[in-house]
Amino acid sequence: MRDYELDDRYDGDRDDRRPRPGPRNRYERPEPARGPAWYGMFLLIGLALGAVGLWGGSHLVNKFRGERPGLDPNAQLRAAVPAGPLDLEESEAVTLFENVKDSVVNVDVVMVKRGRWDEQSTELQTSGGSGFIWDTSGRIVTNYHVVAEVRRKPNTELRVVLADRTAYSAVLLGTAEDSDLAVIQISAPKDKLKPITVGTSNDLKVGQKAYAIGNPFGLSLTMTRGLISSLNRIIESPSGIKIPKVIQTDAAINPGNSGGPLLDKTGRLIGVNTSIATPNGGNVGIGFSIPVDTVNRVVTELIQSGRSLRPDLGVKLFDERRLRQARYDRGVMIERLVPKGAAESAGLRGCSFNPRGVVTQPGDLITAINGQTIDNVEDYERVVRDLQPGTTATVKIQRYPNELEIPVTVGGV
C-alpha cells in the first residue's frame, strides 16, 4: 500500500482547490544510471545469438545439399586393378568388330527444303537404316524398305554416313521389292571404301554364332551377338511376295538395323537384317535376315541392269486347302496358265472348268522341281525362288494316270 501526503492549503486568490503532489513513494527507488557494463552485456548476448544463428544456418544448408558426416576433402582416387586378358569369345568378338566396322554405314532419307535466294536449304531426316559397302566403286547394299520413301516423296534424298562419320549423298541404282533389297552408290575416295567379306548361307547350321552390326534407333555401329535360331523361314516382302530360306536369329535387331549385315564368327556376310517379330515394336529375340546366297544373286542383277527378275514358271496354283479336301495329300496343282508364259510354252496344263466354274478336269499336279520334292505351296515358292530366269528346270508332274517330267524354260517377272 502506497501513502501520499497532501497539502491542504488553498490559494486565496483562486476559487478551486488543487491538491499538490507530495514526495514520491518512499519505497520507489530512482532508476540507476546505464553505464558501459550494461551495454557490453547486451553486445555479448547479440554476438552469441549471431554465432548460434550462423552455425544453425550452415547446418541446414549442408543438410539441404545432401552432405553427410564422414566427408573427407582429402579423399584420393582408388587404385585401379589392371584388366585381365580377354577370353576366347571376347577376343573373337572384338576382332570381328574391328575388321568389319569400316564396312558398315548408316543410310538416311532426308527431306530437303529449298530456301529462297537469300536463304539456305534445310534438311530433315525422315527415316533411316543401315547398309554395308559392297565394292570399291561405292556401291552399298541395304533394304528396299529403307530407301523406298525416296521414290514416294518429293524433295527427298539419300545420305550415307561412313564409320568415320563422313557423309555423302547417294543415288539409287536399283531395287528389288520382291526381295526387299536395294543398291545405292556414293562417290567417296577408294581408301574410305572397305567392301564386306561375302560368305554363304546354304551351309549354315542352327546353333552357329551370329553377329549383327547396324544403326538401331540411330545409335551407329552397334554390335549384338546371338545364335542362328532357325533356317528356311518364309517372310513377306514389301510387295507381298514371299521370301524363302530366311535366317532367324536371336541377335538383338531393332528398328534401324534394317539393311545391316548379319555375320558369322569370322566376319563373313551371311545375311541382311530385314525385320523382327514383335508384339510391342521392340526386340524380343526373333529377327529375320535375307540369306546371303539370295543377296549375292539379286545384288549382282541390280548392278548389271538396275532390276532383278523374279524367277517364274507362269502358273497360278489351285487353292491348297481345297486341294487337300479333294484328297490330294501332296504336291501343288496348276489352276491356270499365264498366257505365253513358261509353263504354257512347255505344254503344262491347268484345270478345266464348266460355265458354272466347277472343275471338270484337274490340272497337272507338280510333285518335284529339279529333283526337289514339292509337298505344298511353301516348298514350291522356296524351290522356284532359287531358279535362274532363262535356265531350264525339270518339272515332275502327275497327269492322271501318268507321271511325267517336263523341261521348262524359267521365265522372269
Side-chain angles (χ1 to χ4, degrees):
M1 181 175 179
R2 295 182 179 180
D3 295 330
Y4 291 92
E5 293 181 1
L6 301 178
D7 187 356
D8 292 333
R9 291 175 300 176
Y10 293 94
D11 189 344
D13 296 333
R14 298 179 60 92
D15 295 334
D16 58 340
R17 189 175 62 179
R18 294 182 178 179
R20 293 185 180 181
R24 294 186 177 185
N25 184 356
R26 62 175 178 263
Y27 296 105
E28 188 176 346
R29 296 179 180 177
E31 295 181 3
R34 295 180 179 178
W38 190 87
Y39 290 106
M41 178 183 67
F42 273 90
L43 179 61
L44 290 175
I45 292 173
L47 291 174
L49 291 175
V52 171
L54 288 174
W55 176 85
S58 176
H59 179 73
L60 289 175
V61 170
N62 290 339
K63 186 174 181 180
F64 178 76
R65 291 178 177 174
E67 297 180 3
R68 296 291 184 270
L71 298 181
D72 182 1
N74 298 316
Q76 301 296 318
L77 295 174
R78 289 283 306 276
V81 177
L86 300 178
D87 62 27
L88 186 60
E89 287 193 355
E90 290 175 323
S91 297
E92 176 184 281
V94 170
T95 300
L96 182 149
F97 181 77
E98 290 299 322
N99 290 339
V100 178
K101 66 180 178 68
D102 290 335
S103 301
V104 182
V105 303
N106 295 358
V107 179
D108 300 324
V109 177
V110 296
M111 179 171 288
V112 180
K113 183 179 179 182
R114 307 295 180 186
R116 295 178 298 180
W117 65 273
D118 59 342
E119 295 178 347
Q120 292 185 343
S121 299
T122 57
E123 296 182 353
L124 174 67
Q125 181 178 334
T126 62
S127 63
S130 306
F132 52 88
I133 299 171
W134 185 256
D135 56 30
T136 55
S137 295
R139 298 185 184 97
I140 290 167
V141 176
T142 186
N143 280 143
Y144 166 82
H145 74 260
V146 170
V147 300
E149 198 172 6
V150 172
R151 287 187 167 176
R152 294 195 298 261
K153 292 185 177 181
N155 300 324
T156 53
E157 297 179 359
L158 290 173
R159 186 68 42 81
V160 170
V161 182
L162 302 183
D164 64 1
R165 312 317 300 157
T166 55
Y168 298 88
S169 295
V171 296
L172 189 60
L173 289 187
T175 61
E177 188 175 359
D178 293 343
S179 302
D180 197 14
L181 293 170
V183 177
I184 62 179
Q185 189 170 22
I186 61 174
S187 296
K190 289 188 180 298
D191 60 352
K192 286 180 173 287
L193 300 172
K194 182 181 178 182
I196 202 165
T197 302
V198 177
T200 55
S201 54
N202 61 358
D203 55 351
L204 295 176
K205 305 293 182 185
V206 173
Q208 284 184 237
K209 293 178 183 177
Y211 296 84
I213 301 180
N215 180 37
F217 301 110
L219 302 173
S220 302
L221 295 178
T222 297
M223 183 173 78
T224 56
R225 183 180 70 174
L227 300 174
I228 294 176
S229 305
S230 186
L231 298 168
N232 296 320
R233 296 298 193 196
I234 293 180
I235 61 174
E236 191 172 282
S237 71
S239 66
I241 299 297
K242 298 292 191 290
I243 303 176
K245 295 188 175 182
V246 170
I247 303 165
Q248 179 184 330
T249 179
D250 66 348
I253 296 175
N254 285 290
N257 274 114
S258 293
L262 187 71
L263 309 155
D264 66 8
K265 67 178 183 180
T266 64
R268 298 185 315 152
L269 177 72
I270 58 174
V272 175
N273 301 318
T274 186
S275 64
I276 57 176
T278 173
N280 55 19
N283 171 65
V284 293
I286 302 177
F288 300 107
S289 298
I290 303 168
V292 69
D293 293 345
T294 299
V295 175
N296 205 349
R297 173 179 60 81
V298 172
V299 168
T300 301
E301 292 173 355
L302 291 177
I303 293 174
Q304 289 173 343
S305 63
R307 61 191 297 260
S308 174
L309 293 177
R310 175 168 52 88
D312 180 66
L313 295 184
V315 302
K316 183 181 184 303
L317 299 179
F318 196 80
D319 181 75
E320 187 172 8
R321 181 181 58 84
R322 294 173 57 195
L323 187 66
R324 299 295 175 253
Q325 290 175 346
R327 306 286 181 87
Y328 291 90
D329 297 330
R330 54 185 294 269
V332 294
M333 182 174 288
I334 300 174
E335 180 180 335
R336 303 181 190 276
L337 300 174
V338 176
K340 298 182 181 180
E344 183 182 72
S345 300
L348 294 179
R349 298 178 184 176
C351 297
S352 298
F353 299 87
N354 65 18
R356 293 181 297 172
V358 178
V359 176
T360 57
Q361 179 69 37
D364 290 337
L365 187 73
I366 300 174
T367 58
I369 298 176
N370 286 345
Q372 298 185 65
T373 301
I374 305 297
D375 286 331
N376 48 47
V377 174
E378 184 175 306
D379 289 341
Y380 175 83
E381 292 178 342
R382 172 177 51 82
V383 173
V384 170
R385 285 300 296 267
D386 279 344
L387 301 177
Q388 295 291 326
T391 62
T392 300
T394 301
V395 180
K396 186 177 182 179
I397 64 169
Q398 287 184 357
R399 181 182 294 169
Y400 187 81
N402 302 315
E403 187 172 77
L404 308 172
E405 288 190 348
I406 299 177
V408 179
T409 301
V410 181
V413 292

